[in-house]
């Protein structure tokens, strides 16, 4: 099916500060948790770090030109937290704000709507003195950061994302220790996840003092399907959905934390969730003008022996299409997710991330013929169009990512970009998928370009 989106639809691409900027030691930037984590032996595949990344802190003007050349009308980026609050609290670094002000002004001058993320994981290391997100004081620190950025930019930036992927912060940062700050403690991860949501509420309260801003959090959402029709696998899928999706969606939507998951955590931890204090759920609720949807793949679930998690990911059976990272390419689940969110939750939706790893590099003629990313893009466009035709209120689509970049603990190997980056030289090459996306954006959808693209 082909489709055309409304004229004010946000068509864009997304990045984050630590993943693209490099220049970690300029303009008064403080150390971030990722600077420290990346120094741990073995923490990053290939041993890299974000010191160069896509070199976008220096090449920001070229990147704005690139965005405009692709006809995108929106760009999602994040503000490096430790560039603005080098000590975590107190002192604000004006040179950091100057940088993002230049970026925002240049985007606006090209007719590109900035979509600004506040926390895309690069918390100032100074906040680890209290325990990072395990400490409730981080909520105030985040509100200070929000106040500083909003004070400079809220007169020009309409779309604000407080937090990127609270579940991933809790899971990889505090439960499994695979991301900064490298903590491995289930209880700590529950506490951290709660504080991230509380900080969403606190940040939204700051932003609401600035008329005209729209605020949301971006959640990593994974539809959870049972591996078999058995009751046990169905229960595993419900449990996994609670763990990954509902635990974050429900409090944002004003329903409080889901009871089944609360009981699950209390059982698993052998304690009450006293970090969730009276009034906290109200402080998270009702503060989202939209929901950011980060969608990559689905989870296929089976029952596991009783334990902290009585469910396990078994993956799809059979020969399914996968990205180079092995993630199942599941556009139908994308459509179903958008429809479920529309049906069950009160938010307008913005797809704040969607993309895949395809490792294609420039060929003899310099061209990057990433045919699988093009197929991925077309399939996910089709799926989004079907969801919208069936009523889903989707206001934008921001592809992950504009550029190849530093993929956290996986280093520089996975390439998510519509634009190839040659890291040693910083040279950018628009991939064939980038050209296709530009055509989709110009057409406002797949109308008329599906067959020959
Ligand atoms: O690169 C990340 C991004 O920072 C957060 N969402 C998922 C992407 C791909 O793994």
């Amino acid at each position: 099916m082909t489709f055309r989106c409304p004229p004010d639809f946000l068509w864009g691409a997304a990045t984050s500060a630590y993943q693209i900027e490099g220049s970690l030691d300029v303009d008064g930037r403080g150390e971030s948790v990722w600077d420290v984590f990346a120094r741990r032996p073995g923490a990053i595949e290939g041993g890299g770090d974000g010191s160069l990344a896509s070199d976008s802190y220096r090449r920001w003007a070229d990147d704005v030109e690139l965005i405009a050349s692709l006809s995108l009308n929106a760009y999602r980026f994040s503000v490096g937290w430790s560039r603005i609050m080098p000590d975590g609290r107190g002192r604000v670094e004006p040179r950091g704000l100057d940088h993002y002000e230049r970026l925002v002004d240049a985007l606006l001058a090209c007719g590109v709507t900035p979509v600004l993320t506040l926390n895309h994981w690069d918390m100032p290391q100074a906040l680890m003195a209290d325990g990072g997100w395990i400490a409730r004081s981080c909520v105030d620190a985040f509100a200070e950061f929000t106040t500083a950025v909003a004070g400079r930019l809220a007169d020009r930036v309409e779309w604000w994302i407080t937090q990127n992927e609270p579940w991933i912060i809790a899971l990889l940062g505090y439960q499994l220790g695979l991301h900064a700050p490298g903590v491995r403690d289930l209880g700590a991860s529950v506490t951290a996840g709660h504080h991230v949501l509380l900080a969403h509420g606190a940040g939204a309260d700051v932003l609401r003092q600035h008329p005209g801003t729209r605020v949301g959090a971006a959640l990593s959402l994974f539809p959870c399907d049972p591996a078999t029709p058995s009751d046990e696998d169905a229960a595993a899928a419900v449990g996994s959905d609670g763990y990954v999706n509902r635990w974050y969606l429900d409090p944002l939507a004003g329903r409080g934390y889901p009871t089944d998951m609360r009981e699950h955590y209390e059982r698993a931890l052998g304690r009450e969730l006293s970090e969730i204090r009276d009034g906290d759920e109200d402080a998270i609720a009702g503060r989202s003008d939209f929901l950011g949807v980060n969608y990559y793949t689905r989870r296929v679930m089976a029952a596991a022996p009783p334990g902290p998690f009585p469910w396990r990911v078994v993956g799809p059976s059979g020969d399914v299409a996968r990205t180079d990272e092995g993630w199942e390419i599941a556009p139908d689940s994308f459509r179903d997710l958008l429809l479920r969110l529309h049906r069950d939750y009160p938010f307008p939706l913005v797809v704040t991330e969607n993309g895949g790893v395809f490792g294609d590099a420039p060929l003899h003629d310099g061209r990057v013929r990433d045919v699988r990313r093009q197929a991925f893009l077309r399939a996910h466009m089709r799926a989004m169009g079907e969801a919208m035709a069936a009523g889903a209120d989707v206001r934008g689509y921001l592809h992950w990512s504009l550029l190849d970049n530093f993929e956290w603990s996986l280093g520089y190997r996975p390439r998510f970009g519509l634009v190839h980056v040659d890291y040693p030289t910083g040279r950018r090459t628009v991939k064939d998928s980038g050209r296709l996306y530009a055509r989709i954006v110009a057409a406002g959808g797949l109308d008329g370009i599906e067959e020959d693209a």
Side-chain angles (χ1 to χ4, degrees):
M1 117 175 236
T2 60
F3 77 105
R4 190 183 290 279
C5 286
D8 59 350
F9 193 81
L10 298 172
W11 282 111
T15 61
S16 86
Y18 191 80
Q19 292 180 273
I20 65 161
E21 285 181 350
S23 301
L24 301 182
D25 53 0
V26 306
D27 288 349
R29 178 185 181 275
E31 206 167 44
S32 87
V33 290
W34 269 93
D35 302 356
V36 174
F37 184 72
R39 290 200 288 267
R40 280 194 191 179
I44 311 294
E45 195 180 309
D49 61 25
S51 54
L52 178 59
S54 318
D55 199 17
S56 289
Y57 195 80
R58 293 191 319 119
R59 295 171 189 265
W60 65 270
D62 297 342
D63 289 345
V64 172
E65 271 181 34
L66 201 52
I67 291 162
S69 77
L70 292 173
S71 322
L72 309 188
N73 69 20
Y75 177 52
R76 177 182 174 212
F77 63 94
S78 80
V79 170
W81 190 347
S82 62
R83 290 194 190 277
I84 311 302
M85 309 295 297
D87 311 318
R89 306 289 297 257
R91 187 172 64 89
V92 174
E93 172 52 66
R95 286 171 292 175
L97 289 172
D98 293 344
H99 171 77
Y100 295 105
E101 185 171 44
R102 280 191 292 268
L103 174 64
V104 163
D105 286 347
L107 290 168
L108 291 170
C110 298
V112 177
T113 299
V115 179
L116 187 157
T117 307
L118 286 161
N119 176 31
H120 203 122
W121 307 353
D122 49 355
M123 164 183 277
Q125 174 66 19
L127 295 176
M128 287 309 295
D130 294 331
W133 285 113
I134 305 170
R136 202 174 165 97
S137 55
C138 260
V139 176
D140 291 339
F142 181 75
E144 272 187 48
F145 169 46
T146 308
T147 302
V149 180
R152 183 71 81 91
L153 294 175
D155 59 344
R156 274 158 281 181
V157 175
E158 180 181 349
W159 295 86
W160 293 75
I161 295 171
T162 51
Q163 297 286 350
N164 187 63
E165 301 184 349
W167 178 56
I168 299 292
I169 297 174
L171 172 75
L172 298 184
Y174 290 84
Q175 182 183 329
L176 301 178
L178 296 172
H179 276 190
V183 176
R184 289 162 148 240
D185 178 336
L186 179 60
S189 82
V190 175
T191 309
H194 175 57
H195 291 156
V196 170
L197 286 183
L198 264 185
H200 160 76
D205 285 346
V206 170
L207 287 161
R208 287 197 162 176
Q209 293 162 24
H210 295 270
T213 55
R214 303 196 215 202
V215 188
L219 301 188
S220 51
L221 296 169
F222 293 82
C224 300
D225 297 322
T228 72
S230 73
D231 289 350
E232 291 76 11
D233 287 358
V238 170
S240 167
D241 182 56
Y243 172 56
V244 174
N245 302 322
R246 287 181 289 117
W247 187 253
Y248 300 92
L249 284 165
D250 285 11
L252 289 174
R255 297 181 196 158
Y257 285 106
T259 312
D260 61 335
M261 279 311 296
R262 212 175 164 135
E263 288 168 1
H264 163 80
Y265 279 132
E266 287 176 350
R267 254 193 326 272
L269 297 173
R271 65 168 174 85
E272 291 192 350
L273 301 189
S274 52
E275 59 272 65
I276 305 173
R277 299 189 192 158
D278 285 351
D280 280 3
E281 286 159 309
D282 288 340
I284 297 167
R287 286 165 169 78
S288 302
D289 301 308
F290 66 94
L291 176 73
V293 178
N294 292 3
Y295 172 77
Y296 288 90
T297 191
R298 66 182 182 132
R299 285 160 64 96
V300 179
M301 307 304 303
F309 289 95
W311 56 77
R312 66 200 164 98
V313 179
V314 290
S317 58
D319 192 14
V320 299
R322 294 176 190 272
T323 69
D324 284 349
E325 206 49 41
W327 298 359
E328 182 190 0
I329 300 173
D332 289 351
S333 296
F334 181 39
R335 176 199 58 222
D336 296 348
L337 171 66
L338 294 173
L339 285 170
R340 171 205 178 180
L341 293 170
H342 175 65
R343 192 183 59 233
D344 293 352
Y345 292 95
F347 320 103
L349 307 172
V350 177
V351 179
T352 37
E353 291 184 24
N354 171 237
V357 175
F358 300 100
D360 309 271
L363 294 179
H364 59 287
D365 55 0
R367 201 167 136 189
V368 184
R369 292 175 171 76
D370 54 341
V371 286
R372 291 169 303 151
R373 192 185 317 280
Q374 292 174 68
F376 180 100
L377 202 47
R378 279 196 296 269
H380 285 78
M381 290 292 109
R382 234 175 271 127
M384 183 172 76
E386 286 167 9
M388 290 171 72
D393 183 9
V394 184
R395 306 284 176 91
Y397 175 89
L398 304 164
H399 191 81
W400 186 271
S401 176
L402 176 69
L403 300 167
D404 289 339
N405 59 49
F406 178 75
E407 177 58 15
W408 307 113
S409 55
L410 301 179
Y412 289 95
R413 178 181 48 77
R415 289 183 179 268
F416 275 97
L418 295 165
V419 176
H420 181 272
V421 177
D422 177 57
Y423 294 113
T425 61
R427 192 173 55 244
R428 275 89 164 117
T429 306
V430 177
K431 301 178 188 177
D432 281 4
S433 60
R435 293 183 213 291
L436 169 65
Y437 189 48
R439 295 173 63 207
I440 292 173
V441 170
L446 282 176
D447 238 5
I449 58 166
E450 198 170 6
E451 321 72 40
D452 60 348

